[in-house]
Amino acid sequence: MTYLASALLSFTIAIPLVLALVRIHKVRTSYFPFMVLLLLAFTTEVASEISLHLTRENTTVSNIYTLLEFGVILWQFYAWGFLRRRRALLILLAAVSFITWVTENIGYGRLEVHFCSASVFINSLIIVFLCINEINALIASFSGHLFRNARFLICMGLMIISIYSLITEGTLLIDPQNAVIDWPIFNIFSFINAFVNIIYAIAVCFIPVRDDYYFSRRFKA
């Protein structure tokens, strides 16, 4: 795959972001963290491209994104209610992620020279379990079509990218010296990322409108 094609696929994140910005004034606030996640991902893509052109590397940008992304995802599960009811678990998960990131990037001095595989692996594992828990709760309580449920679609997108990360980063962690980087699973990231971004775009379209939106519009009219 050419560099241009990979970059274009990465910037498909702009599709759900634009849709989110169009709808941001009327959707429920419990989905704001997800919109922040889209903005963060788009900003990181831009910063990564700038860094690649200026320094020929984007390791630092990627590693910082790993830390911020997980924090926003925890915020999303807090906004949905699960982690709000389990503050101790929220603190534990945040602490595990932060300590792993600091140890790997600051303690071992890898922030600018190596992608933080251990942090990505730990974060992805946590995200998969959080998504499974959320999906199970939806299956038990939601009576409509799950593929029209924004929360379900967001969790599916997060799970797909997290499972991919578990496979790739796990491979690198097990045998970093002899890992086959040109293994096909490493080369399909751009396609998986673009597919997940399309799922996110569909999810944005199904984010519920806040309860007072139509009332406030009628009142203003």
Side-chain angles (χ1 to χ4, degrees):
M1 181 187 298
T2 64
Y3 172 80
L4 178 59
S6 178
L8 289 175
L9 287 173
S10 295
F11 274 98
T12 53
I13 189 63
I15 300 172
L17 176 60
V18 170
L19 292 173
L21 292 175
V22 169
R23 300 197 67 213
I24 194 169
H25 65 289
K26 62 181 181 180
V27 300
R28 294 181 182 175
T29 56
S30 60
Y31 287 87
F32 278 5
F34 174 64
M35 295 184 175
V36 172
L37 181 65
L38 296 177
L39 179 60
L40 176 63
F42 178 78
T43 303
T44 300
E45 291 295 344
V46 173
S48 180
E49 288 298 314
I50 294 173
S51 180
L52 284 171
H53 281 86
L54 294 178
T55 67
R56 297 186 179 277
E57 64 86 20
N58 64 346
T59 312
T60 302
V61 173
S62 178
N63 288 340
I64 293 174
Y65 173 71
T66 296
L67 178 66
L68 297 178
E69 176 197 38
F70 187 71
V72 175
I73 290 173
L74 285 184
W75 177 24
Q76 180 59 78
F77 283 98
Y78 176 87
W80 282 340
F82 176 70
L83 291 179
R84 182 183 299 150
R85 298 188 297 270
R86 296 164 178 81
R87 300 289 182 91
L89 178 60
L90 171 62
I91 294 171
L92 175 63
L93 296 180
V96 168
S97 175
F98 183 74
I99 291 171
T100 303
W101 189 91
V102 169
T103 301
E104 187 174 21
N105 290 281
I106 308 301
Y108 287 96
R110 296 180 176 179
L111 180 62
E112 299 178 357
V113 294
H114 291 291
F115 294 108
C116 51
S117 294
S119 293
V120 173
F121 185 86
I122 293 296
N123 292 353
S124 298
L125 188 62
I126 293 172
I127 291 168
V128 167
F129 281 116
L130 288 174
C131 288
I132 290 174
N133 176 78
E134 198 69 35
I135 289 172
N136 285 339
L138 282 172
I139 292 174
S141 62
F142 186 69
S143 58
H145 199 303
L146 283 175
F147 286 97
R148 294 184 179 180
N149 183 285
R151 191 179 302 190
F152 175 80
L153 291 171
I154 292 169
C155 285
M156 287 300 298
L158 290 173
M159 278 188 63
I160 290 171
I161 207 71
S162 295
I163 291 173
Y164 171 86
S165 296
L166 285 173
I167 295 171
T168 54
E169 302 305 326
T171 301
L172 291 172
L173 286 171
I174 291 170
D175 194 0
Q177 300 301 323
N178 300 311
V180 183
I181 304 301
D182 61 350
W183 191 33
I185 193 69
F186 286 91
N187 294 327
I188 64 173
F189 172 76
S190 295
F191 295 103
I192 292 176
N193 189 45
F195 176 66
V196 169
N197 289 338
I198 298 304
I199 292 177
Y200 288 160
I202 298 171
V204 170
C205 295
F206 287 116
I207 292 178
V209 176
R210 67 176 192 268
D211 295 335
D212 66 329
Y213 174 72
Y214 293 112
F215 175 80
S216 62
R217 284 191 62 186
R218 182 174 297 179
F219 181 76
K220 289 178 181 178

